[in-house]
Amino acid sequence: MVYDPEKSLATVQQPTEKHGSPEVISVNDAASHETGILASIRALEAKLDKKLGIESDAIERKRAEDKREVHWVEEISMAALWASGTMNTSCFATGFLGWEFGLTMKQSILITIFVSIMAASLSGFCATFGAVTGLRQISVSRYSFGWWPNKLVALLNGIQQMGWAAVACITGGLALTAVSDGHVSLILGIVILAVVALFISCVGLKAILIYERWAWMVFLVIFLIIYGETGEYADNAAPATVTGSSFSGAVLSLMAIVYGSSASWCTMASDYYVHYPANTSRLKVFLMTTFGISIPTSIGMVAGCMVASALNTKPEWSAAYDQGIGYLIQEMLHPRGFAKFLLTLLVLSGINVNVISIYSSAISFQQLARPFARIPRSLWTLFCFACILGLSIGGRQKLNEYLQNFLSLLGYWCTSYAIILFQEHYIFRKGNFDNYDLEGWNDPAKLPLGIGASVAFSLGVVAWCLGMDETWFIGPLAATIGDAGGDVANEFTFVVTALAYLPARYLELKYVGR
């Protein structure tokens, strides 16, 4: 099939049997014949979509004729969306990990900046599929992973996005507790953040893009103030407390954490570009996404690196840090009333991550099975909200351990995901979207079986286990690096997945033909 962006395409397709032959029908058509509470909710969503722009059918392919030209102001969202989602207290807290690993401020900053750019480029590449295909990221990967294996990808992405939201709830809740001088408990703070994000996510993509387009400005100003007020106390004279192979292990482990932070967006990046015209410059999307993620992430993390170094000479800051990241922010900024005001604004940064994560995780769960696709997006949003509350409340007392383990794990499987998409597109489909049967995105018979991707991904899992350095498990390769180990899972996974996918996919095409 030759892809024609002007051609009217069918909506979600499903093979059914009619007189013994396959027939393609629309999920909307199927849903229109349903009765009961789910059908009523879907009908309400559709009415609200027409009147208020509340998105009702998130996973359906956005057809070319349903799109419109995007004003340059809206194109700002390509970068602003990610800036609002990354310039937050979570990234600020992550910046402290280099100091905790025993690295100097300079070393931590260099690792943060360069690894953020490298990892964000994976997300930038994946984002380029959104406008030209009109498909969400998990739908795009069906052309590599196939119908059934891609369900595992959808599940992993849903869990990943909820984990991100949980981290944001914890850091934002700590800030809210601090600004209230302990009158608002951490649990209540977590609930407040999650509820506000739930409301915005329920409205849908239009509200998310408008909110995130401008929210980043507030947080940029706050971080500039943090740089201005704390920069004089930064301590770059203190030497690293780890040496030799232990130093190498600390560097590798920090790289894995920073990498996981920026690379983890690759499994949902195209979700936010499906409304752009198909002829939108892919280079523009790549650059704005890559730097829209890496620069704001670096701003927050470098601020954390700088403040962490000052803990060596500022015991009052160290004592406040032991209470929580919110108390530290309140202690290091002045005057106190102004510090409380800034901390209140920073609480909102947790909402930004939650909005994106709840929305994309709900879309992922809709793709686990066809019956799940008929469950209204609003109900999946509520489900994700409940899971996020459970995760954040359960993990609220161990933030740094949560960050170290969770962010590293994100990078492992995202590496396999991105390299499989890259090789499929540029090697097997010659970098040409004419070689994608976009009308068959929801038809198992028109998609690969996913044998090649399954083999490469499975071998990638083996590579993770051999190279990971986590609190609960240190792989045999990681254990050979220094006293505390060094995380080489991402590097090893990249090599193993890349080498495995080529022959496995070639054999799949040779013997299966799709």
Side-chain angles (χ1 to χ4, degrees):
M1 169 200 169
V2 176
Y3 171 51
D4 180 1
E6 300 302 323
K7 184 179 179 181
S8 176
L9 299 175
T11 54
V12 181
Q13 301 157 349
Q14 297 189 39
T16 61
E17 294 298 323
K18 182 178 181 180
H19 304 300
S21 60
E23 179 188 7
V24 176
I25 65 172
S26 167
V27 163
N28 284 338
D29 293 337
S32 66
H33 299 292
E34 294 176 347
T35 58
I37 184 65
L38 295 183
S40 300
I41 295 175
R42 289 180 63 90
L44 177 61
E45 282 186 337
K47 290 179 180 178
L48 292 174
D49 188 11
K50 291 181 179 179
K51 294 182 178 180
L52 304 175
I54 292 180
E55 191 175 16
S56 57
D57 296 304
I59 67 170
E60 291 192 15
R61 182 170 180 264
K62 307 302 178 185
R63 297 175 296 171
E65 63 270 23
D66 293 333
K67 299 181 182 182
R68 58 176 176 80
E69 290 299 320
V70 175
H71 193 270
W72 69 267
V73 174
E74 293 184 56
E75 287 191 338
I76 295 175
S77 297
M78 289 186 188
L81 170 75
W82 310 110
S84 296
T86 55
M87 207 181 320
N88 52 45
T89 49
S90 298
C91 283
F92 180 66
T94 305
F96 284 74
L97 297 178
W99 171 74
E100 295 196 359
F101 288 160
L103 302 176
T104 67
M105 183 183 75
K106 181 179 179 180
Q107 292 163 350
S108 298
I109 289 175
L110 289 174
I111 291 170
T112 293
I113 294 174
F114 289 106
V115 174
S116 290
I117 295 173
M118 177 183 66
S121 66
L122 295 183
S123 299
F125 163 72
C126 292
T128 63
F129 286 84
V132 68
T133 65
L135 293 172
R136 308 293 176 153
Q137 193 69 64
I138 297 303
S139 299
V140 169
S141 57
R142 288 177 176 177
Y143 292 93
S144 305
F145 286 84
W147 179 261
W148 292 105
N150 198 61
K151 296 181 184 299
L152 174 61
V153 174
L155 178 61
L156 287 172
N157 187 54
I159 295 172
Q160 169 176 294
Q161 300 310 325
M162 291 192 298
W164 261 123
V167 171
C169 280
I170 295 170
T171 53
L174 287 169
L176 192 58
T177 299
V179 78
S180 67
D181 294 324
H183 295 297
V184 174
S185 68
L186 177 54
I187 292 179
L188 179 58
I190 289 171
V191 172
I192 291 173
L193 286 166
V195 168
V196 175
L198 171 68
F199 172 77
I200 299 174
S201 298
C202 277
V203 176
L205 184 59
K206 184 180 295 185
I208 291 172
L209 293 176
I210 293 174
Y211 173 76
E212 303 282 9
R213 188 181 302 151
W214 309 111
W216 66 273
M217 296 181 181
V218 176
F219 308 113
L220 175 61
V221 172
I222 293 174
F223 275 105
L224 291 177
I225 293 172
I226 290 176
Y227 280 106
E229 290 204 16
T230 63
E232 62 181 304
Y233 304 108
D235 181 15
N236 195 39
T241 58
V242 286
T243 58
S245 59
S246 294
F247 171 77
S248 299
V251 169
L252 289 168
S253 294
L254 181 60
M255 287 176 62
I257 292 169
V258 176
Y259 174 89
S261 175
S262 294
S264 60
W265 301 110
C266 75
T267 56
M268 39 81 82
S270 75
D271 292 359
Y272 302 94
Y273 297 95
V274 294
H275 65 292
Y276 286 91
N279 61 356
T280 301
S281 169
R282 295 186 72 212
L283 178 61
K284 179 194 293 184
V285 172
F286 172 78
L287 292 176
M288 294 189 74
T289 304
T290 298
F291 291 106
I293 293 173
S294 59
I295 293 176
T297 296
S298 297
I299 289 173
M301 288 190 184
V302 169
C305 296
M306 182 183 68
V307 173
S309 70
L311 299 183
N312 297 325
T313 57
K314 299 281 288 183
E316 64 274 23
W317 287 13
S318 182
Y321 180 61
D322 290 338
Q323 291 181 273
I325 196 73
Y327 288 96
L328 172 61
I329 294 174
Q330 189 169 261
E331 175 66 32
M332 70 189 191
L333 299 179
H334 55 82
R336 186 170 180 81
F338 182 59
K340 282 184 172 292
F341 171 69
L342 293 183
L343 195 55
T344 302
L345 294 177
L346 268 178
V347 169
L348 300 177
S349 69
I351 295 173
N352 298 343
V353 179
N354 287 1
V355 166
I356 299 173
S357 299
I358 291 176
Y359 178 77
S360 287
S361 58
I363 290 175
S364 292
F365 288 127
Q366 280 188 306
Q367 299 192 60
L368 288 177
R370 282 197 172 119
F372 287 8
R374 293 177 182 169
I375 297 176
R377 187 180 64 83
S378 57
L379 293 185
W380 280 118
T381 302
L382 288 171
F383 169 77
C384 295
F385 164 76
C387 292
I388 289 165
L389 281 183
L391 285 170
S392 52
I393 291 173
R396 67 189 185 278
Q397 300 299 338
K398 296 184 178 181
L399 174 60
N400 279 342
E401 183 177 323
Y402 200 82
L403 283 170
Q404 290 179 43
N405 288 275
F406 181 69
L407 295 183
S408 296
L409 283 170
L410 295 186
Y412 302 157
W413 85 273
C414 287
T415 297
S416 292
Y417 179 89
I419 192 61
I420 287 173
L421 256 65
F422 184 89
Q423 290 183 313
E424 177 68 26
H425 181 68
Y426 284 106
I427 297 176
F428 295 102
R429 298 185 188 267
K430 312 302 181 185
N432 191 342
F433 284 96
D434 291 348
N435 295 323
Y436 289 80
D437 183 359
L438 295 177
E439 291 190 31
W441 76 274
N442 203 42
D443 185 350
K446 296 181 179 180
L447 296 168
L449 293 181
I451 297 173
S454 298
V455 170
F457 195 84
S458 299
L459 291 175
V461 172
V462 176
W464 311 346
C465 296
L466 291 175
M468 69 167 58
D469 182 9
E470 304 292 347
T471 303
W472 45 273
F473 179 75
I474 299 178
L477 288 180
T480 63
I481 307 173
D483 297 331
D487 198 312
V488 292
N490 288 308
E491 296 85 346
F492 194 39
T493 297
F494 179 90
V495 174
V496 170
T497 304
L499 293 178
Y501 187 67
L502 286 174
R505 180 66 172 127
Y506 171 78
L507 291 174
E508 180 183 7
L509 286 170
K510 181 178 180 179
Y511 292 105
V512 179
R514 57 185 173 96

